[in-house]
Amino acid sequence: MRNSEIRSVVKYWDSAGLKSLDSSTSGGDPLWASFDNYVENRRLASLLERLGIRAGAGVDVGAGYGRFARTLAKALDEVVLLEPAPSLFRTMKEVLDSDRKFEFRNECFEGARFGSKMRVILSSGVVYFYDDEKLLTFLREAKERLSDGGVLILRDFISPTQSMVVQSSYVKGQCCYYRSTQDWANIVDSMGFRVEEMFRSKPRLRLLRNRYIRRVLGKSALRALLNSRRFRAFWEKRDMRLNPRGSVQTSFIVLRLVN
């Protein structure tokens, strides 16, 4: 992936923006985005607790509007938020600027310099745009910036059965790289990382997400369900292992630096 390709991705996000403060996409239903954001943040918080992350510095790569920022800040002493798209960056600063734990940077991870080693690097919805060469460069730079035993957390996409390369539906001329679990294991092992965990970051709930079912159910009923504390708590704690026969799945890929 050349610098021009990175610029095309950044340009898309700068012009399209995000659907809502909770959203990870430029489209979609803000109601679903709120539910998914809640579940993903709770699962990220549980993950950081399991990993024993209670101090140190972290960086959020492609932070968007900063939807994971506060969860990271609860586990870390300081968090650097990197967002190269100017419009997203401005909104993120407006939302989060009052918190002294955050350092805001309108730049890409590639080439960024930090004053100290990072305990955690989080990247959400970034590396699926990277071909293997660019991914290796990203992993190499992450390795240089992590402290001993540091953790790289990728919220990305996994294709359980086989890797796929498809044309992006949003960024003109750009491909999306959906890697299999085995390909992920092979790539990261060669770079000195160990796969700690791989799991779906949010529930599929295909039936409820179906447009026809949503129309039948009605927006008010769907809102009541998705905002229900019991419903959210159930999916926050439910085992969400990857479906080995499923399609592309939004997942957390947790990598530990081993040397």
Side-chain angles (χ1 to χ4, degrees):
M1 188 177 186
R2 298 179 296 275
N3 288 338
S4 60
E5 293 173 316
I6 293 177
R7 287 195 295 270
S8 70
V9 174
V10 173
K11 183 178 179 181
Y12 169 78
W13 287 113
D14 189 40
S15 60
L18 294 166
K19 189 71 172 180
S20 67
L21 292 179
D22 293 330
S23 180
S24 62
T25 69
S26 57
D29 186 336
L31 181 59
W32 271 106
S34 175
F35 170 77
D36 289 336
N37 183 53
Y38 173 84
V39 172
E40 289 186 321
N41 267 283
R42 297 291 288 180
R43 294 185 70 78
L44 176 61
S46 296
L47 171 62
L48 294 171
E49 185 176 354
R50 287 200 305 277
L51 294 171
I53 307 297
R54 299 183 182 87
V59 58
D60 187 349
V61 179
Y65 292 154
R67 72 188 191 97
F68 291 123
R70 292 189 175 94
T71 297
L72 290 172
K74 288 179 181 178
L76 296 163
D77 298 315
E78 59 177 300
V79 180
V80 180
L81 300 172
L82 300 180
E83 177 47 60
S87 64
L88 272 62
F89 179 78
R90 287 192 296 270
T91 300
M92 177 178 65
K93 280 205 71 177
E94 290 173 2
V95 172
L96 298 171
D97 206 11
S98 61
D99 195 319
R100 295 182 181 179
K101 275 195 173 184
F102 300 129
E103 177 185 346
F104 302 93
R105 296 197 194 180
N106 183 207
E107 61 180 324
C108 294
F109 178 69
E110 289 76 9
R113 294 291 177 262
F114 308 103
S116 60
K117 294 281 189 176
M118 296 293 164
R119 186 76 178 86
V120 176
I121 296 175
L122 170 69
S123 176
S124 175
V126 173
V127 299
Y128 77 102
F129 281 123
Y130 288 4
D131 61 21
D132 286 352
E133 181 181 354
K134 187 62 182 175
L135 177 60
L136 289 174
T137 299
F138 177 89
L139 292 173
R140 192 175 298 114
E141 295 207 15
K143 184 177 179 180
E144 291 175 357
R145 289 159 174 75
L146 282 170
S147 59
D148 292 343
V151 179
L152 172 61
I153 302 172
L154 304 173
R155 178 193 170 276
D156 209 81
F157 301 95
I158 291 179
S159 175
T161 52
Q162 62 181 6
S163 296
M164 299 187 297
V165 181
V166 300
Q167 197 73 28
S168 172
S169 302
Y170 300 97
V171 186
K172 185 178 180 180
Q174 181 60 52
C175 289
C176 299
Y177 299 84
Y178 302 126
R179 296 174 172 91
S180 68
T181 53
Q182 188 58 57
D183 277 353
W184 270 113
N186 293 340
I187 290 170
V188 303
D189 182 64
S190 70
M191 295 300 297
F193 287 94
R194 178 181 69 242
V195 177
E196 292 276 287
E197 299 183 47
M198 288 187 183
F199 58 90
R200 283 185 287 122
S201 65
K202 60 184 181 181
R204 287 171 292 174
L205 294 172
R206 290 179 178 175
L207 189 63
L208 285 177
R209 294 182 196 269
N210 180 279
R211 290 183 180 180
Y212 175 75
I213 297 299
R214 282 157 53 190
R215 284 199 299 268
V216 171
L217 185 62
K219 195 165 186 177
S220 60
L222 182 62
R223 179 183 292 106
L225 177 64
L226 296 184
N227 288 333
S228 163
R229 289 185 179 181
R230 286 189 177 183
F231 189 75
R232 289 189 170 202
F234 175 81
W235 288 107
E236 170 193 340
K237 297 175 182 177
R238 185 174 172 81
D239 180 9
M240 289 202 281
R241 284 175 287 185
L242 294 167
N243 182 349
R245 294 181 297 277
S247 57
V248 175
Q249 299 164 44
T250 309
S251 308
F252 280 122
I253 304 163
V254 187
L255 310 176
R256 174 86 70 175
L257 183 62
V258 293
N259 58 20

